[in-house]
Amino acid sequence: VISSLSSLAFANKEQLKTKVSQMAQTDEKASVRANALKYLLKNYPDNELLPIYEKALNDSSYNVAGIALGAIVKMDKEKGLVYTETIEKGGDKKRLVDVATVYMQYGSREKETFFANSYNRITDSNDKYSFILLYSRFLQRHDDDAMTKRTLPLFKDIAENDNAWFMRLGGLQALTELKDALTKKADD
């Protein structure tokens, strides 16, 4: 629906922007709201739409709220980090992957505590899978041997002992990514 809007005969981009903004805020379907937010971010990356993303942070759909957080971080990193920390402190375990996604890209070394303390709070296996890969990439970005060594037992345990095959795969992927990063570092 959203992608086909571009081909419609709107008098100008502002009319299209207004229509998609309305959809992002009021459509009854979460998937439409989510796609509208993505469309706006891609085609109108200006701070004028920041209030729409801020409002969407409290959407009933975790997907919509996560897209909104990513949009805010992309538009205004500092403001996005403030919102991310607020979400982290709110304690909603369904938002931990959203927080991890932001911290993987922009979190300081101190956010390693968030990763270390959050994995066991996640109950959804798909979220756990995403989380461990984000954790691995956070560690690679910071290139801190002590942090990495503290985390290796967790990834090894997941790779060897988790009941779900895709979690064992995720643990193995995390270990492989870290090994490759350490090998590259040693070669440089």
Side-chain angles (χ1 to χ4, degrees):
V1 173
I2 304 295
S3 58
S4 63
L5 285 174
S6 299
S7 62
L8 295 177
F10 283 93
N12 61 43
K13 275 186 86 170
E14 286 304 310
Q15 282 183 328
L16 179 59
K17 181 180 178 181
T18 300
K19 178 63 177 166
V20 177
S21 295
Q22 288 172 343
M23 292 170 75
Q25 296 175 80
T26 62
D27 199 278
E28 63 186 38
K29 291 186 176 183
S31 61
V32 172
R33 294 191 308 275
N35 284 320
L37 289 174
K38 289 177 187 177
Y39 182 87
L40 290 170
L41 182 62
K42 179 181 177 187
N43 294 287
Y44 304 95
D46 53 66
N47 286 353
E48 178 185 319
L49 295 172
L50 203 54
I52 292 172
Y53 297 117
E54 290 173 326
K55 181 181 174 192
L57 284 173
N58 297 313
D59 195 277
S60 60
S61 164
Y62 289 115
N63 184 35
V64 171
I67 291 166
L69 180 62
I72 293 168
V73 170
K74 191 171 186 177
M75 296 174 131
D76 184 338
K77 183 176 117 180
E78 295 308 314
K79 184 178 266 194
L81 285 169
V82 169
Y83 280 121
T84 303
E85 288 178 0
T86 301
I87 293 167
E88 175 189 353
K89 290 175 185 163
D92 186 345
K93 63 185 176 185
K94 294 195 181 279
R95 303 288 308 271
L96 293 174
V97 172
D98 294 337
V99 172
T101 300
V102 173
Y103 288 164
M104 182 270 299
Q105 294 176 314
Y106 304 109
S108 64
R109 291 181 191 285
E110 291 75 32
K111 295 303 177 185
E112 194 264 337
T113 303
F114 159 79
F115 282 95
N117 294 333
S118 296
Y119 176 77
N120 288 323
R121 293 181 54 219
I122 301 171
T123 54
D124 180 81
S125 295
N126 293 319
D127 287 346
K128 278 189 167 196
Y129 175 83
S130 297
F131 188 87
I132 59 172
L133 296 178
L134 292 166
Y135 194 175
S136 172
R137 291 172 189 146
F138 170 85
L139 294 169
Q140 292 170 57
R141 187 171 66 81
H142 284 292
D143 191 25
D144 182 319
D145 291 342
M147 260 196 303
T148 300
K149 285 179 184 170
R150 281 193 304 272
T151 309
L152 289 177
L154 170 67
F155 293 157
K156 184 176 185 267
D157 182 59
I158 293 167
E160 292 177 344
N161 301 314
D162 201 278
N163 290 329
W165 69 268
F166 63 90
M167 288 300 299
R168 291 191 305 275
L169 174 64
L172 185 60
Q173 287 173 307
L175 288 169
T176 302
E177 287 179 3
L178 288 171
K179 177 188 161 279
D180 291 347
L182 291 170
T183 301
K184 185 175 188 256
K185 178 182 166 184
D187 291 345
D188 289 345

